[in-house]
Amino acid sequence: ARMTTEDGALVVADYAETMRGLFDYYVDHPGEVPGDAGAGDDIQRVTDYIAGMTDRYCIARFKELSLPEESRL
């Protein structure tokens, strides 16, 4: 999949890995999903929250959660 970063650079990323990483994180930490992310059980709320993310936010959040701070660009 192709995604664009904040500075406009085109990035080719393993989108499925990014989505799975975010999904697994939020299922393990449902308290970090905003209250307005939807109704239903935790899995549905996580799904709705991720579905509403922009590509830029998704990439940034995945980097925050999966990369050591000194490795983030």
Side-chain angles (χ1 to χ4, degrees):
R2 295 179 190 206
M3 295 182 271
T4 307
T5 62
E6 282 185 30
D7 64 357
L10 185 63
V11 177
V12 176
D14 184 352
Y15 199 65
E17 180 181 335
T18 301
M19 294 294 99
R20 173 56 67 186
L22 287 173
F23 182 81
D24 290 346
Y25 177 82
Y26 285 115
V27 167
D28 290 342
H29 303 90
E32 293 192 37
V33 176
D36 62 349
D41 62 15
D42 287 343
I43 291 176
Q44 186 62 54
R45 290 182 61 247
V46 168
T47 301
D48 291 346
Y49 180 54
I50 293 172
M53 290 181 176
T54 64
D55 287 350
R56 287 184 191 145
Y57 182 74
C58 177
I59 292 167
R61 192 67 182 126
F62 181 73
K63 283 182 180 180
E64 288 173 14
L65 297 171
S66 61
L67 296 176
E69 188 170 343
E70 61 274 2
S71 298
R72 296 180 205 155
L73 298 176

